[in-house]
Amino acid sequence: MNRDLWSYSFDRLPRWTCPHCRHGLLQPMGDYPHVEESEYSKEEQKLPESEPDWTMERFVALLKCDLAHCGEVVAAGGNRVAEMFQDYEGREQHWESALVPLFVRPAPHIIPVSKKLSDACNMQLRKAFELYWLDKAACANRLRIFVERLMDHFKVPTHGKGKKQKKHRFDLSERIEEFDAMKPGHKDALDALRFVGNYGSHEGQTDTEALLDCFELLEDALAELIDEKKAMLAAKAQKLIENKGKNTW
């Protein structure tokens, strides 16, 4: 995952991968971006104490997949703001305008979405991508729900005794424990998503970097759990060893 594609602000919107075909790149269309400043912002700019970051501007943009057979159109919008930048030595400072997206629909995929995922998992992950721009706490909660659906995907029990004496309905932490017995090695990553999701739900906020960490952890876990990349690479290595380095497939 390239974290630079999912920053808070951009001088120009990135060339995200098309969310429909997953191969083309999104290119700006027409008047890009279209920006309008509010009237009250214009009035505030006349005040002697006004600073560039007092400016309140909104932008909208249309992006289109550059593959002719796809041509998906994505709508984006948000604020254009003034940000203070300084050189590496911290001596010179200057203002630059930046685009802060607040919605991007349909949303580009922050991590790859495997075609082997269940529809329920797929839906929650795509919703998390969309909410990333709009409401990061809600995005964190969607990732927590995704973990629940992932447990369903692997048919992890919803009821049992677990570490208790009586049979009861498992909460997510207990289901993750059960899953770890089935497919060891991913408990910490799934627990991290659970905790960040819980924090987003209870506090109504979440840290952007923590959220991107979750996507990175999820990308790595899904590569092994769903796409079995390590197993596929191990099989290729074994085949090459058996054939003394000769590729026979």
Side-chain angles (χ1 to χ4, degrees):
M1 184 181 83
N2 181 358
R3 295 172 81 110
D4 290 341
L5 296 176
W6 318 108
S7 299
Y8 166 76
S9 63
F10 307 91
D11 56 349
R12 290 180 60 85
L13 296 181
R15 294 183 67 191
W16 291 304
T17 300
C18 173
H20 179 74
C21 71
R22 311 186 196 185
H23 295 292
L25 297 177
L26 298 177
Q27 304 277 20
M29 296 177 64
D31 181 15
Y32 169 84
H34 179 76
V35 180
E36 291 287 343
E37 182 179 2
S38 65
E39 294 304 318
Y40 65 80
S41 175
K42 294 176 183 177
E43 289 300 315
E44 289 179 348
Q45 291 302 308
K46 298 175 184 178
L47 299 175
E49 67 270 24
S50 174
E51 294 286 347
D53 59 349
W54 288 24
T55 305
M56 184 55 65
E57 295 178 321
R58 318 294 187 192
F59 83 89
V60 291
L62 290 178
L63 310 170
K64 188 171 184 177
C65 176
D66 62 3
L67 293 185
H69 71 272
C70 175
E72 172 68 286
V73 176
V74 171
N79 298 329
R80 186 169 74 171
V81 301
E83 292 183 339
M84 176 68 76
F85 288 85
Q86 60 184 28
D87 62 19
Y88 290 109
E89 297 179 353
R91 294 176 181 175
E92 294 185 9
Q93 295 182 335
H94 64 279
W95 293 97
E96 290 185 7
S97 63
L99 303 176
V100 180
L102 298 178
F103 71 87
V104 184
R105 298 184 68 182
H109 298 179
I110 298 175
I111 60 174
V113 179
S114 174
K115 293 181 179 179
K116 297 179 182 179
L117 272 176
S118 68
D119 289 343
C121 286
N122 194 312
M123 183 184 71
Q124 296 301 331
L125 194 53
R126 288 172 182 270
K127 197 65 181 177
F129 298 154
E130 183 179 308
L131 287 168
Y132 176 80
W133 305 106
L134 183 65
D135 187 334
K136 288 183 170 53
C139 174
N141 184 252
R142 285 288 176 165
L143 288 180
R144 186 192 184 284
I145 297 172
F146 173 85
V147 176
E148 289 271 16
R149 300 293 76 80
L150 188 64
M151 297 299 95
D152 296 341
H153 178 93
F154 285 102
K155 296 180 171 55
V156 178
T158 57
H159 292 78
K161 289 185 178 180
K163 296 180 180 179
K164 298 180 180 179
Q165 304 244 332
K166 295 181 179 180
K167 188 173 182 179
H168 62 284
R169 181 175 180 82
F170 288 147
D171 60 23
L172 182 54
S173 65
E174 291 173 303
R175 294 191 80 191
I176 292 173
E177 290 277 359
E178 294 288 317
F179 182 66
D180 192 49
M182 298 165 55
K183 292 184 176 291
H186 304 285
K187 182 178 183 301
D188 286 349
L190 298 176
D191 272 338
L193 268 68
R194 177 173 65 86
F195 277 114
V196 172
N198 287 344
Y199 184 81
S201 296
H202 298 154
E203 301 298 327
Q205 60 184 355
T206 192
D207 178 74
T208 301
E209 292 304 311
L211 195 54
L212 291 176
D213 287 344
C214 283
F215 277 114
E216 281 188 330
L217 289 168
L218 188 56
E219 180 179 20
D220 184 65
L222 294 180
E224 185 172 346
L225 290 170
I226 302 297
D227 294 320
E228 301 178 321
K229 287 189 176 181
K230 287 185 179 179
M232 291 172 60
L233 290 173
K236 288 183 178 182
Q238 190 60 41
K239 192 73 173 178
L240 288 169
I241 292 169
E242 291 172 0
N243 294 313
K244 308 299 182 183
K246 185 179 179 180
N247 190 333
T248 58
W249 59 83

